């Protein structure tokens, strides 16, 4: 898109604050915590902004899907490799895995 990175990061930080959850209680998932969340953190550093996620609360969708490989994702919705569509599809699959495993997680 056309949104400058610093603005997008500021919007993301603002959105996280609207959740009303302390930084140490915000959990963020990436399709590889080291890759996706590493890029996110590097962008915050490059923009000289505070990274709004406690490193202990980074989660890895890739690990989750490999632990529960028998739970298949629904057919992909939207355009592949579009960041928003990728994130929505991954979130739906992670939610399905967690619902099946814990039987208490609400659907997204």
């Amino acid at each position: 898109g056309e949104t400058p990175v610093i603005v997008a990061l500021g919007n993301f930080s603002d959105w996280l604050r609207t959740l009303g959850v302390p930084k140490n209680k915000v959990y963020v998932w990436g399709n590889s915590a080291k890759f996706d969340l590493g890029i996110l953190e590097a962008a915050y550093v490059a923009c000289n902004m505070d990274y709004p996620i406690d490193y202990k609360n980074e989660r890895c969708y890739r690990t989750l899907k490999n632990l529960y490989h028998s739970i298949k994702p629904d057919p992909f919705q939207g355009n592949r490799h579009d960041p928003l569509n990728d994130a929505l599809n991954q979130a739906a699959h992670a939610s399905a895995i967690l619902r099946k495993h814990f039987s208490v997680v609400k659907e997204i």
Side-chain angles (χ1 to χ4, degrees):
E2 300 290 325
T3 304
V5 171
I6 196 165
V7 173
L9 296 174
N11 290 343
F12 181 64
S13 293
D14 290 345
W15 177 77
L16 287 175
R17 280 191 288 280
T18 68
L19 300 175
V21 179
K23 179 178 177 176
N24 67 340
K25 299 291 183 184
V26 172
Y27 295 88
V28 180
W29 292 74
N31 192 14
S32 170
K34 183 177 179 181
F35 183 77
D36 292 336
L37 300 178
I39 291 171
L40 181 63
E41 183 175 15
Y44 273 95
V45 169
C47 292
N48 199 29
M49 298 173 71
D50 181 44
Y51 185 54
I53 301 157
D54 188 317
Y55 74 94
K56 295 180 296 265
N57 296 350
E58 294 177 340
R59 300 294 182 257
C60 181
Y61 164 69
R62 182 180 294 159
T63 301
L64 183 69
K65 71 180 179 179
N66 285 319
L67 288 171
Y68 297 92
H69 54 86
S70 64
I71 303 172
K72 302 297 182 197
D74 289 335
F76 195 91
Q77 299 294 311
N79 296 320
R80 289 188 180 278
H81 304 297
D82 173 277
L84 180 57
N85 290 326
D86 286 348
L88 291 171
N89 282 275
Q90 291 167 15
H93 185 213
S95 180
I97 292 169
L98 294 171
R99 274 195 321 276
K100 182 131 182 156
H101 180 77
F102 293 106
S103 300
V104 294
V105 178
K106 293 181 182 178
E107 188 168 341
I108 330 181

